[in-house]
Amino acid sequence: MTGMDEQGHPETEEAMAGELKHMVSEPLLPVEKALIAVSLLLGLGLLGLLLWVSRTFFPAP
Amino acid sequence: MRMKHPTHSEDGWAVLVGLILFALTMTLLGGIDSLGWVVVVREWTALEHALAPVSPAYASLAPVVSLVGTFFLMVGLFSLAAWLMGREVRSFVPAFAVLVAVSYACLVAGHHAWIAATPDKRAAHGLSWSMGLTGEAGYIFALAAGLVVGNCLPRWAAWLKPAARPEWFVKTAIVILGAALGVKAAGATRLASAVLFRGFAAIVEAYLIYWALVYLLARTVFKFSREWAAPLASGISICGVSAAITTGAAIRARPVVPIMVSSLVVIFAVVELLVLPWLAQACLYHEPLVAGAWMGLAVKTDGAAVASGAITDALIRSRAQADLGLTYEEGWIVGTATTVKMFIDVFIGIWAVILSLIWVYRIDPRPGATLPLGEIGRRFPKFVVGYFLTFLVVLTLCLTEQGWLAPLTLAAREADVFRTLLFTLTFLAIGLEADFRRLWAEGVGRLAVAYVVSLFGFIIWIGLAISWIFFQGVQPPTVGG
């Protein structure tokens, strides 16, 4: 058992442990930066809206 | 060791088994009490008073007959489901029977009045002091038993492993819990709608903020590749095992990646389960539903989150009664934790579609590659549908015909017998699965550090803040209040 799949990628825990130890850094792509930024901004932006809807239409009894 | 791709077939069986038990209790609407004989565990000082049939209609039935009948019903039903699932029945049946027996032992021990009795019940038991943990202390015993066997007795743990399925147990319990919450919601529709919407709002907030922060940390500080960072972000930030696996499928990660992440999720879920309910009791006993939502947002895996909700429910009711003189109605805290968790499970599917779109078209475009929508659809948690189905059916019945409230309340109490046992089995199985030696396995350390930093550094506290923002001031009904 080599711990590699048909493409030569490790697919066992032992082989993955080695991969984790020697992982090469991949720079953040613009699309990843956009995903992070949009997600955070949407989260903060929706906070006010959802809070207003909660208190207006679903008030605490 | 070659890893097997995880299967989610237990999800469908959780719905089916839950609906079978739910349907049997519903026969009460036709005047047939088909499950009134099942055993309920009560607080006791003399062991002969620990067990009784759940329905007054079966009061004359010997408790031991009730116990044996319930034992064989559970073992029979789950063994049949395991067989139909294609499991190795010869290893499942004896192991499951032992788990059920140990669960009942833990429940009985946890219901001893010294441990369970809340201050208002001490006089009835002739006690001047008790720990006041309620009968849910049995869950703690079950978790402790599971942890001891799982970490100190590996041969026993290996023998029990075929039947230790915490996600199956808790998902079945959640389907049953929907019926009980339906009865409660019928008496407090405004509160129920507030919990539903605010739970939805809380998870939208949590998901958007958690995921982005963990992904950023994993990619920039811990230097994980995209294939590792995405399942790790989903596993840490939201719903643990199922989120890691669904995200892995969405970005076409190798199956072993979410499996390694999931092994950490299970371990740290136990740590959260052991710490957060007591923290909530200490700080949030005057805001019970904030505590419930916090358990749903902070504790990973469905099993541990709902289990934390159950413990928090017991601890906070006990503390509120002792310190505030308020007896909160049982079930609203665990119901809030469960509702939040349900919405998270739904949101995982939506997030997985978004991630797969970004990966297929922008990050990792491959010739002929299409969105793995079929895979994401197959992984959609069916038990969420089961939970909302039982909830809505019971709520509708209660609101339609006033005369059905009494039989439906008894039906919910009978269903609760199975919910309680399944929660106990969940705690036991979580303990068995949590192999802390994994933390010292080669290569896992970096993942574990990322997990700890994210979870205890900000996930738990952002979850608390979001829970406070949406649930502060929302109070559950009080008994006699």
Side-chain angles (χ1 to χ4, degrees), chain B residues 211-223:
Chain B
W211 196 94
L213 288 178
V214 178
Y215 188 77
L216 181 65
L217 189 81
R219 293 282 287 116
T220 56
V221 176
F222 290 96
K223 309 287 184 193

Side-chain angles (χ1 to χ4, degrees), chain A residues 1 10-13 16-17 19-21 23 26-27 29 31-32 39 43 46-47 51 53-54 58, chain B residues 1-3 197-198 205 208 215 219 224-226 228 254 256-257 260 358 363 438 442-443 446 469:
Chain A
M1 189 169 74
E11 62 169 14
T12 65
E13 286 203 26
M16 295 299 258
E19 178 183 302
L20 275 169
K21 266 177 106 173
M23 192 169 288
E26 296 172 347
L29 297 173
V31 68
E32 290 178 278
S39 183
L46 281 175
L47 185 62
L51 195 57
V53 174
S54 296
F58 303 95
Chain B
M1 177 181 62
R2 190 167 286 270
M3 305 299 296
F197 183 80
R198 287 161 188 255
E205 282 303 316
L208 291 172
Y215 188 77
R219 293 282 287 116
F224 285 112
S225 66
R226 295 176 198 95
W228 281 92
R254 289 160 290 171
V256 71
V257 172
M260 284 185 75
I358 294 170
I363 289 180
R438 290 277 307 149
E442 191 188 6
R446 189 167 161 195
I469 289 169

